Amino acid sequence: MRLYSLFLYTAFLLIISCKTEPTKTAEQQRWDTHVKNTTIIRDDFGVPHIYGKTDADAVFGLLYAQSEDDFNRVEQNYIWATGRLAEVEGEEAIYSDARAKLYMTQEEAIANYERSPEWLKELCIAFADGINYYLETHPEVTPRLLTHFEPWMPMYFSEGSIGGDIERVSTRKIKAMYEAGIEIPEATAIAMQHELEMQEPQGSNGIAISGKLTKSGNPLLLINPHTSFYFRGEVHVVSEEGLNAYGAVTWGQFFVYQGFNEKTGWMHTSTYTDVIDEFVETIEKDANGKLVYKYGDEYRPVVQYDMTIRYKDGEEMKEKILPAYRTHHGPITHLKDGNWVASALMWDPVNALEQSYIRSKQDGYKGFREMMDIRTNSSNNTVYADAEGNIAYFHGNYIPKRDTSFDYTQPVDGSNPKTDWQGLHTVDETIMLLNPENGWLQNCNSTPFTAALEYSPKKEDYPYYMSIDRENFRGVHAIELLKEGKDYTLESLIELGYDSYLPAFEALIPGLVEAYDKVDRTKEIGAYIEQLRNWDYRTSTTSMAMTLAHYYGTAYFKNGQRPEQRLSAMHLLSYFGNESPLEERMEIFKTVINQLETDFGTALIPWGDVHRFQRINGDIRQPFNDDLPSTPVGLASGRWGALAAYGERYNNGTKKIYGTRGNSFVAVIEFGDKVKAKTSLAGGQSGDPDSPHFDDQIEDYVNGKFKEVAYYKEDVLKRAKKTYHPGEK
């Protein structure tokens, strides 16, 4: 009887236990598996080295680690990309959201995810799981909007980088059409162009050097993207399925965007290849009152749907419903001479994601070249080096074939089938370089026809739309340094990348000195002119001439009278230095002197006193403040030809200049029997002001001092400061 009672009691406990133990969801079961198979090692700079059993485990750990470092930016990128920015930023973001929804609806994103190959689906699921598990284990983190991430969200990464081509479609033009039914007036379009000229240039530098010019005999690669600061984190992600990539990842990506593995390295620079075209559509109504557009001898139906855009208005959430229209050319984005215009660009998210991930696992030129055949890396050039000794350059990747009798720099007639894109150029038909005889190649968002000087591709061999033959001062600077270089090491490549000479001022400043000598000669500004007359056009924290030159060049871009013909920024600056009226030069310079004296009490002020680095908190837009501590910076804007670019896009009304974009993540890599690398990161790895890695790299960053990369496991373990599974405190 006693044994029977004990049996009943035990059975009762088992029943109660089964009832109280909740059944885990499929998502929670995946979390458990990933956690068991994933280890994160943080080194002495806080860089996460993620080790997973499978690629999916590694992706899970990568997104968990990114969320640890800066969930704010991970979330922000997907709020923007999925067209929900107005829900957090209000009415001013409505047409950013409209643009996103014109190119892809949520339903289309889901459909793209569902047609993806199984291996890519697994990575997309792991992406969502990594972020969601972070939120589950960090209840103190309150998302601004996205409380649960979905595996279809990476489809909004159009071709590798948040933004990319879609950012070149003007939201102001979309707003003008949808709100007022008008096109942007010519005067407004000119003002918009001037605004772009005034902004710190975006872009990047890529340099590859073959072993015959290096001390070790091994190829070297410089990875030098110019983005907004803190736009990308530094990561190392490894799996037992062949993944071992180190480099920069845009917050929320599940692949290394610019970086290297043991055998290959890849660097992207923004391209001037024509990958976006505008088609003027002839719109009518059919017998049933439906919108149609003329195409050859037929009329095709206009695809039409409503976009519901939610936006924050004070404490309320409101909705705005806008119509969306598409032709086979793309969505209708604006008006031209009263006609609807469709903007065509590359939108192939599945293949784009495949290419971006596959790129990071290649072990030599053959595989890398085959990966390029996917042809979805539309907004970028690629500079490449590998352990086999190859260096290479690909100018663009996604290039539509066109009838060259039409001028695609202007909107073309969409009703004429001959203007349609005629498929894509093969990679072999595009502008490429492989192992040029001079032993080096470079691209600084400049013309590909000087990428390797006399060994560069020839302009006449390619259709005009493959590249704008446009040089810039960074390209000029890089070529002058490279053409005499030899015996390169990682350290000397860093020195090259931080060379302080600014060729733009050699084009601009002598013209100012000439104007003073010919039309002024007053003692009032003579001391300032003498600073510039005796300057070697090199920047430093102590240079007063640098301060005068920067403010003068900036003021001239803003206020100088432009010639009738439209010039590139480089040629415009040369015009201001050589052909503009002498009186205008003096007038603008005097306004600069007045500004500096008003703001700082003197115009003879060292560059480092006005040019600063300041990181106050984790906000995406920093609240710069002249009364708070900051660090002097001797670097300069890429506009002036600085390879190590450092400039501003906003200043919050401060008197001092605080950098917001330029050198962000920078790496130099040597490929040999074992890969060696050094890196630099603006600010630090973490977006949390309480983290020791929030600002621990500032001093080294502004002084061009790089840290050693721990790539191999034994080196990672030597520098390990914290080892844990996701979810562990």
Side-chain angles (χ1 to χ4, degrees), residues 3-23:
L3 285 174
Y4 180 70
S5 298
L6 182 61
F7 171 78
L8 288 177
Y9 180 68
T10 303
F12 173 75
L13 289 178
L14 287 171
I15 292 170
I16 294 298
S17 174
C18 289
K19 285 183 178 180
T20 57
E21 182 68 29
T23 302

Side-chain angles (χ1 to χ4, degrees), residues 525-574:
I525 62 171
Y528 310 126
I529 292 295
E530 291 310 306
Q531 285 283 333
L532 294 169
R533 190 193 302 276
N534 298 313
W535 188 34
D536 59 2
Y537 309 117
R538 291 189 173 275
T539 183
S540 70
T541 56
T542 59
S543 174
M544 296 179 186
M546 178 63 215
T547 305
L548 293 167
H550 174 86
Y551 277 84
Y552 175 63
T554 302
Y556 223 139
F557 264 112
K558 185 176 182 180
N559 301 314
Q561 292 298 310
R562 285 157 167 74
E564 289 185 9
Q565 73 272 31
R566 184 174 171 182
L567 300 176
S568 69
M570 178 176 171
H571 289 103
L572 182 59
L573 202 69
S574 297

Side-chain angles (χ1 to χ4, degrees), residues 248-263:
V249 56
T250 309
W251 299 109
Q253 287 179 334
F254 60 74
F255 49 85
V256 172
Y257 182 57
Q258 290 170 318
F260 61 95
N261 57 40
E262 187 175 30
K263 300 297 183 181

Side-chain angles (χ1 to χ4, degrees), residues 63 79 161 293 366-367 405 454 529 569 597 612 714:
L63 271 298
I79 291 173
S161 180
Y293 66 101
K366 182 177 182 294
S405 66
E454 67 269 30
I529 292 295
E597 289 178 343
R612 314 289 289 184
E714 58 267 28

Side-chain angles (χ1 to χ4, degrees), residues 13-43:
L13 289 178
L14 287 171
I15 292 170
I16 294 298
S17 174
C18 289
K19 285 183 178 180
T20 57
E21 182 68 29
T23 302
K24 289 190 174 182
T25 65
E27 179 182 50
Q28 290 170 327
Q29 291 175 29
R30 290 196 306 271
W31 289 350
D32 289 347
T33 301
H34 285 314
V35 167
K36 181 177 66 176
N37 293 337
T38 306
T39 301
I40 301 172
I41 302 175
R42 296 275 182 176
D43 67 21

Side-chain angles (χ1 to χ4, degrees), residues 269 271-273 275 372 377-382 393-399 427 430-432 466:
T269 64
T271 186
Y272 292 131
T273 297
V275 295
M372 294 294 284
N377 191 17
S378 62
S379 66
N380 294 311
N381 308 314
T382 302
Y393 175 68
F394 302 86
H395 192 77
N397 183 235
Y398 171 96
I399 307 177
V427 175
T430 64
I431 303 171
M432 292 172 53
M466 275 200 182

Side-chain angles (χ1 to χ4, degrees), residues 547 550-551 595-596 599-600 605-614 624-633 646 648 650-660:
T547 305
H550 174 86
Y551 277 84
Q595 178 188 351
L596 289 169
D599 288 348
F600 304 109
I605 182 170
W607 181 230
D609 288 5
V610 301
H611 197 228
R612 314 289 289 184
F613 190 114
Q614 188 177 70
F624 298 125
N625 189 324
D626 287 336
D627 295 326
L628 295 178
S630 59
T631 302
V633 179
Y646 186 96
E648 64 170 350
Y650 60 89
N651 63 15
N652 298 325
T654 58
K655 294 179 180 178
K656 296 178 183 179
I657 300 170
Y658 298 96
T660 64

Side-chain angles (χ1 to χ4, degrees), residues 307-464:
M307 301 181 290
T308 300
I309 299 173
R310 304 179 75 230
Y311 65 95
K312 184 179 180 181
D313 184 7
E315 298 300 315
E316 292 184 74
M317 192 65 70
K318 296 182 178 179
E319 287 186 352
K320 191 179 187 77
I321 298 177
L322 296 172
Y325 308 98
R326 289 181 188 167
T327 71
H328 74 283
H329 295 122
I332 303 298
T333 57
H334 61 286
L335 295 173
K336 175 70 174 175
D337 299 327
N339 297 308
W340 286 9
V341 179
S343 295
L345 53 79
M346 193 284 295
W347 201 265
D348 188 4
V350 176
N351 283 327
L353 278 171
E354 287 191 52
Q355 182 169 3
S356 293
Y357 193 81
I358 291 170
R359 180 191 301 123
S360 65
K361 298 183 74 172
Q362 299 310 306
D363 62 2
Y365 182 78
K366 182 177 182 294
F368 197 91
R369 169 62 188 78
E370 290 173 354
M371 172 275 302
M372 294 294 284
D373 283 331
I374 300 174
R375 294 179 293 175
T376 56
N377 191 17
S378 62
S379 66
N380 294 311
N381 308 314
T382 302
V383 178
Y384 168 89
D386 67 32
E388 296 169 346
N390 298 301
I391 62 173
Y393 175 68
F394 302 86
H395 192 77
N397 183 235
Y398 171 96
I399 307 177
K401 291 183 179 179
R402 304 165 176 90
D403 184 334
T404 56
S405 66
F406 298 98
D407 180 8
Y408 287 90
T409 65
Q410 302 297 321
V412 295
D413 180 6
S415 70
N416 185 348
K418 291 183 179 179
T419 65
D420 264 9
W421 289 351
Q422 300 157 18
L424 298 179
H425 283 281
T426 66
V427 175
D428 289 336
E429 293 171 340
T430 64
I431 303 171
M432 292 172 53
L433 268 173
L434 177 63
N435 299 324
E437 289 184 39
N438 60 320
W440 58 263
L441 54 83
Q442 61 80 34
N443 183 262
C444 300
N445 314 117
S446 45
T447 172
F449 307 124
T450 60
L453 275 188
E454 67 269 30
Y455 301 103
S456 303
K458 306 306 178 190
K459 181 179 179 179
E460 58 270 20
D461 293 339
Y462 303 94
Y464 75 89

